[in-house]
Amino acid sequence: MLAIPRRRAPRRGWAAFVNNAQVRGVVYQVATAGLLVALIWWFAANAAANMAERGMSAGFDFLGVAAGFGISFTLIPYQEGDTYFRVFLVGIANTLLVAVIAVVAASLLGLVVGLARLSDNWLIRTLARAYVEVLRNTPLLLQIIAWFFGVFNLLPRPRQSVEWFGLFALNNRGFYMPAPVPEAGFGLVLVALVAGVAGAVALARWARRRQERTGEPFPAIPAGAALIVGAPVVAYILLGGPLAWDLPALAGFNYQGGMSVPPSFCALVVALAVYTSCFIAEIVRSGIQSVGKGQHEAAASLNIKPSWTMRLIILPQALRVIIPPLISQYLNITKNSSLAIAVGFPDLVSVWMNTSLNQSGQAISIVAMTMAFYCAASLSVSALLNAYNRRVMLKER
Amino acid sequence: MAEPARTFRAKPDRPAPAQTVGAVGWMRRNLFSSPANTALTLIGAYFAYWVIATVVDWALLDAVWQAETRRECLDAVGRSGACWPGVFVWFENLIYGLYPKDQIWRVNAGFALLVAWLVPLWLERVRSKVAIGVSAVLAYPVLASYFFLGGDKGFLWSASIAAALTAFVWVWATAIAERRTGRTLGELVLARADALDADPRHHRRLLFYTAAAGWLVAYALVALWYLPYVTTNDWGGLFLTLVISGIGITFSLPAGVVLALGRRSELPVIRLICTVFIELFRSVPLITILFMFTTMLPLFLPVGVEVDQLVRAIVAVCLFASAYMAEVVRGGLQAIPRGQYEAAAAMGLGYWQATRLIVMPQALKIMIPTIVSTFIGFFKDTTLVSIIGLFDLLNMARAIGEDTDWLGLFIEPFFVVTLIYFAFCFAMSQYSLNLERRLDTGQRS
């Protein structure tokens, strides 16, 4: 038999202490934390000295002070002389407006291009590939500026604007559309809409339970859609159309009335949507390709209708792959909307981190507030995403 | 009486129907398989024709190639054709910014030096590739920054330039030595001094003296070498874009590896610090970080310390890039099965050895496509420095349209700049595909 050599007695004393993993861990951590605290302290001391020298003060008192500048486009009401806090809110509202519209447009465009990438048709496939390669290999900022200077700024003057049906108009001052003006009783239409949505949700639940119990399917999606659309439409007709439209009309040198967005907004939204649609297209494509061929074949051998195969078998599995990167693209849109400053659209960064910062000089508070907004947005979205991931995670047994 | 053997003899195959083979068959399968597909093909073909024809007409056929001002272009063809002379006049600025004309050779020399430094990495039979790569990351920037910046140099500055120069000579000497003889430069030096059999300590001393002698010669050369100072305010165009993105990319990979390891560390304080750093820098837009560094860095440094605008931008880009790279590396680390760590531990490797020899090579390899697409993202993101007033490629292009002679000339410069960006990004992505294929060991099914 082989003699197993005896283990040497553990070393004692200094060497053992220094080589102990736990001791080392504590030492490393204390050293790192100490360095970090020293660095922060040094920064803070410098900042205090610098601010004393320039006669600046930190804090959030300036939020109540009137801001002495106008903002060219605001979603929520604002006028020169409102407080700085109002400016902050205006910036957030504008940022969110750009983000929401760009998210919807980019998703639709990305879905179409992603499906085109998978087309049986060679030409369509190639065109989609060219679209994706060209647009995602050029900088977004370049695209925004090119849309602004190359397209929306070169549009005709208001008198020669492009009009559609007398309702929409596009010229070098912006894009004009009718604005809804609610009249008495319009609130009831909204109530009907809410009731329709609630009814649709209840119907979907009932249909699902019945199908689980009896196997009888019920067309819950078209029925629900009919409820959501139908209820407010019926209420609208019954109440005699309590909604007027304020149409934009050419008056003098420009359009009056209706709603309008400036060219910078159009350039920003179009560029964001087009740029992000490339990434979404690739996400959609890889998601659908990630579902194994066997799933199609299994569905076919069970004699499941092709339209059901997509909806009940492919899509649920593909969505598990698609949703997480898709959401992070939505976050990217929100972050990239900060490039608005390059074309002069007053989003949060432009109106708050640039104009307000230069006007008030409150660098630290303003930077902190801006970062807090983006951090809050991104952290809450990632929390949602983690919850979703836990729900759809493969339940492997 | 035997029956004659009847064997089955197949008739020769008939050729496939003409409609299913060759170009016709391919088109029937891929373009005209159904009425809907035919309609799509026709629409797509018309669209492709329209786009290509519009661009060719505008950029080539209707374009103006000789003019003094934009007015002349507009008088000649209006807006239907491109006005290239404006771009030609500004082309040198698009590439080099406002770098003094008689000094432009230095920029070219700096980039040629980079190529020369990296060429040995692609040569076969060169063994010290890791060392060459590390020397390129550590020493090349020193030499390049003297090429680009110039000016007076103190002792420390001269000493580092001399060291970088020595490193460059070593790269090529060792590459040639290894290709010719298959032995490293160190072995050759030792053989030359008949000291191969001496004890290792003697070896080390000998090699050190050789390197020191090389450094002294280099120092003497560097002391004689003087380039006039060029302020960073004059840097611009593609040159500036490459400098910023190059530094950002080079810095981000090692910093990202460190941060990713820190985020997976078992030490809670280190994990917390790394996580907060990564999440903070990833959740805010780059432009806010750039603004933060331009407005707040002066506040946080001692009173009276001024930092160059370019340096602020580079610091911001570096920190931002390393936070993103950290998440990419972490993704790669998560994909490594636990068994690899356990096997490394069973072989008696410690944490750093296991990370360096077992885990990191695998993690980085599977993440190559993601790493390269992140690099492409950084390269595109450097355009944001134009917002804080640096004249990178994009801002230079915009400046053309604000020149009085070429007022309003935006589309043409943007078109050229788009082509430049596209060329760089597309080349990078194709190279990554190529690299991925070459390094694929077929472990993934």
Side-chain angles (χ1 to χ4, degrees):
Chain A
M1 278 207 49
L2 272 171
I4 297 171
R6 268 214 183 167
R7 258 207 294 166
R8 262 200 310 190
R11 277 184 291 178
R12 287 179 202 288
W14 182 240
F17 182 74
V18 168
N19 283 324
N20 184 327
Q22 249 178 338
V23 174
R24 285 189 165 199
V26 170
V27 170
Y28 290 154
Q29 296 188 69
V30 168
T32 316
L35 264 180
L36 193 69
V37 168
L39 193 68
I40 291 174
W41 187 80
W42 186 65
F43 279 152
N46 283 336
N50 271 310
M51 280 167 37
E53 175 145 311
R54 298 177 203 182
M56 287 159 52
S57 62
F60 293 92
D61 297 338
F62 74 102
L63 286 178
V65 174
F69 53 88
I71 299 177
S72 59
F73 174 87
T74 61
L75 183 64
I76 56 176
Y78 169 86
Q79 59 192 24
E80 206 176 317
D82 280 351
T83 60
Y84 273 110
F85 188 65
R86 188 80 186 169
V87 174
F88 182 58
L89 296 182
V90 166
I92 289 182
N94 283 351
T95 289
L96 291 180
L97 179 73
V98 170
V100 167
I101 297 179
V103 159
V104 173
S107 306
L108 294 177
L109 204 55
L111 182 67
V112 170
V113 177
L115 294 178
R117 285 277 270 142
L118 293 169
S119 165
D120 296 333
N121 189 316
W122 176 85
L123 185 66
I124 298 295
R125 216 160 53 217
T126 312
L127 284 178
R129 168 130 199 266
Y131 174 89
V132 169
E133 291 291 356
V134 168
L135 288 169
R136 80 171 172 185
N137 280 324
T138 44
L140 172 61
L141 184 60
L142 175 61
Q143 293 186 26
I144 293 176
I145 293 179
W147 278 105
F148 184 66
F149 284 110
V151 177
F152 288 99
N153 242 7
L154 296 183
L155 288 170
R157 280 187 285 267
R159 283 183 179 283
Q160 289 93 40
S161 32
V162 192
E163 282 200 28
W164 291 284
F165 322 114
L167 298 176
F168 302 96
L170 188 62
N171 56 46
N172 65 359
R173 300 281 189 85
F175 178 64
Y176 295 80
M177 63 205 124
V181 182
E183 291 169 356
F186 187 69
L188 287 176
V189 179
L190 292 184
V191 171
L193 177 68
V194 172
V197 171
V201 171
L203 185 72
R205 280 198 176 172
W206 169 81
R208 190 158 144 212
R209 239 178 292 142
R210 195 181 74 140
Q211 187 173 4
E212 279 168 4
R213 209 174 52 240
T214 64
E216 287 284 303
F218 182 84
I221 291 179
L227 257 182
I228 294 174
V229 177
V233 168
V234 168
Y236 183 78
I237 293 169
L238 285 182
L239 290 166
L243 184 68
W245 290 94
D246 180 14
L247 300 183
L250 193 61
F253 288 110
N254 203 356
Y255 278 78
Q256 299 289 331
M259 294 189 293
S260 68
V261 286
S264 55
F265 177 89
C266 301
L268 184 62
V269 167
V270 170
L272 276 174
V274 166
Y275 179 76
T276 316
S277 73
C278 302
F279 295 91
I280 294 183
E282 288 300 280
I283 292 168
V284 168
R285 179 182 65 85
S286 66
I288 291 180
Q289 280 180 341
S290 74
V291 180
K293 213 175 144 200
Q295 299 286 328
H296 283 275
E297 292 167 354
S301 66
L302 289 172
N303 202 14
I304 295 175
K305 277 198 289 189
S307 60
W308 284 25
T309 310
M310 195 59 183
R311 211 180 76 216
L312 298 176
I313 292 168
I314 308 299
L315 220 47
Q317 299 185 68
L319 279 183
R320 185 156 44 209
V321 181
I322 290 176
I323 297 268
L326 187 65
I327 303 274
S328 83
Q329 285 302 326
Y330 291 169
L331 264 183
N332 276 349
I333 289 187
T334 314
K335 285 190 271 174
N336 285 337
S337 68
S338 59
L339 297 182
I341 191 171
V343 288
F345 179 76
D347 81 319
L348 181 63
V349 169
S350 149
V351 92
W352 186 242
M353 215 168 175
N354 198 37
T355 316
S356 298
L357 194 149
N358 290 338
Q359 295 280 324
S360 72
Q362 298 282 347
I364 295 179
S365 318
I366 283 183
V367 168
M369 282 172 81
T370 318
M371 297 220 156
F373 166 74
Y374 284 108
C375 277
S378 123
L379 290 182
S380 50
V381 170
S382 17
L384 278 179
L385 196 59
N386 285 339
Y388 172 84
N389 273 338
R390 265 197 303 279
R391 235 192 76 183
V392 302
M393 210 161 44
L394 272 182
K395 309 270 190 304
E396 283 182 13
R397 275 176 275 258
Chain B
M1 173 129 185
E3 245 177 60
R6 286 202 292 182
T7 51
F8 173 74
R9 200 166 282 129
K11 286 184 182 170
D13 287 345
R14 277 196 293 172
Q19 289 172 339
T20 61
V21 293
V24 176
W26 183 87
M27 278 164 72
R28 281 175 69 98
R29 269 196 312 281
N30 288 300
L31 296 177
F32 305 106
S33 60
S34 69
N37 247 342
T38 307
L40 274 181
T41 304
L42 293 179
I43 295 172
Y46 176 73
F47 179 73
Y49 166 76
W50 178 76
V51 169
I52 293 172
T54 311
V55 172
V56 168
D57 276 351
W58 175 80
L60 298 175
L61 300 182
D62 289 347
V64 178
W65 300 92
Q66 287 204 323
E68 293 299 315
T69 63
R70 177 148 190 262
R71 186 94 322 263
E72 289 179 22
C73 290
L74 289 178
D75 289 343
V77 292
R79 287 189 186 283
S80 65
C83 181
W84 294 122
V87 179
F88 295 152
V89 170
W90 276 75
F91 193 73
E92 207 156 68
N93 297 79
L94 276 182
I95 305 298
Y96 302 106
L98 301 177
Y99 214 84
K101 292 251 187 298
D102 56 336
Q103 301 291 326
I104 279 178
W105 66 271
R106 282 160 56 178
V107 177
N108 296 336
F111 283 102
L113 182 67
L114 177 63
V115 174
W117 208 303
L118 296 180
V119 161
L121 291 180
W122 279 276
L123 293 180
E124 280 171 25
R125 295 202 308 276
V126 174
R127 283 191 289 161
S128 321
K129 282 186 179 170
V130 174
I132 293 174
V134 170
S135 77
V137 168
L138 294 180
Y140 169 73
V142 177
L143 209 49
S145 56
Y146 190 66
F147 263 110
F148 298 155
L149 207 54
D152 295 323
K153 42 195 190 297
F155 169 72
L156 213 62
W157 196 203
S158 305
S160 2
I161 296 171
L165 207 56
T166 322
F168 179 63
V169 173
W170 169 82
V171 164
W172 270 97
T174 203
I176 292 171
E178 285 171 12
R179 273 179 73 80
R180 283 273 172 80
T181 63
R183 295 155 92 181
T184 64
L185 189 65
E187 282 168 4
L188 281 185
V189 169
L190 293 176
R192 181 103 191 146
D194 278 332
L196 267 180
D197 307 323
D199 80 310
R201 235 196 251 155
H202 187 61
H203 283 177
R204 245 174 277 146
R205 209 178 308 141
L206 198 61
L207 291 178
F208 176 76
Y209 288 147
T210 317
W215 179 81
L216 273 178
V217 174
Y219 186 83
L221 286 176
V222 168
L224 294 173
W225 188 37
Y226 177 78
L227 292 172
Y229 177 68
V230 178
T231 159
T232 54
N233 293 338
D234 290 347
W235 297 20
L238 180 62
F239 162 55
L240 185 70
T241 298
L242 289 178
V243 166
I244 297 176
S245 54
I247 296 178
I249 285 173
T250 321
F251 180 83
S252 72
L253 194 56
V257 167
V258 170
L259 282 170
L261 290 175
R263 193 170 180 176
R264 285 167 63 84
S265 161
E266 284 167 8
L267 310 175
V269 175
I270 288 175
R271 194 169 58 223
L272 181 76
I273 293 172
C274 291
T275 310
V276 167
F277 177 87
I278 292 171
E279 289 300 326
L280 184 69
F281 275 81
R282 275 168 48 87
S283 63
V284 298
L286 174 57
I287 187 66
T288 61
I289 298 175
L290 282 170
F291 268 133
M292 185 176 95
F293 273 84
T294 49
T295 57
M296 304 216 329
L297 205 61
L299 270 185
F300 284 130
L301 290 177
V303 178
V305 174
E306 287 285 326
V307 183
D308 191 278
Q309 175 89 345
L310 177 62
V311 175
R312 295 183 212 170
I314 288 176
V315 172
V317 168
C318 282
L319 293 182
F320 178 80
S322 26
Y324 271 80
M325 195 47 76
E327 284 301 272
V328 173
V329 175
R330 190 166 74 106
L333 290 176
Q334 274 176 346
I336 305 300
R338 270 197 75 79
Q340 296 289 326
Y341 292 90
E342 288 162 2
M347 301 295 286
L349 299 183
Y351 173 79
W352 291 107
Q353 283 174 315
T355 305
R356 193 165 55 87
L357 299 171
I358 311 284
V359 179
M360 216 30 105
Q362 298 184 57
L364 290 183
K365 203 182 80 186
I366 57 175
M367 293 314 272
I368 282 179
T370 327
I371 290 177
V372 175
S373 67
T374 318
F375 282 168
I376 295 176
F378 296 153
F379 183 69
K380 290 187 292 177
D381 279 345
T382 52
T383 48
L384 266 63
V385 300
S386 65
I387 296 181
I388 58 166
L390 294 177
F391 276 85
D392 75 326
L393 188 51
L394 177 59
N395 223 3
M396 260 313 162
R398 188 146 72 155
I400 300 180
E402 282 153 13
D403 181 0
T404 41
D405 280 348
W406 308 100
L407 208 61
L409 189 76
F410 288 115
I411 303 181
E412 289 86 350
F414 287 153
F415 188 78
V416 172
V417 167
T418 306
L419 289 184
I420 296 177
Y421 275 110
F422 179 78
F424 273 91
C425 297
F426 193 68
M428 272 196 268
S429 70
Q430 295 304 305
Y431 182 68
S432 102
L433 288 180
N434 171 10
L435 206 59
E436 199 185 338
R437 267 196 299 275
R438 257 193 307 156
L439 291 180
D440 190 8
T441 45
Q443 282 165 354
R444 279 171 298 162
S445 51

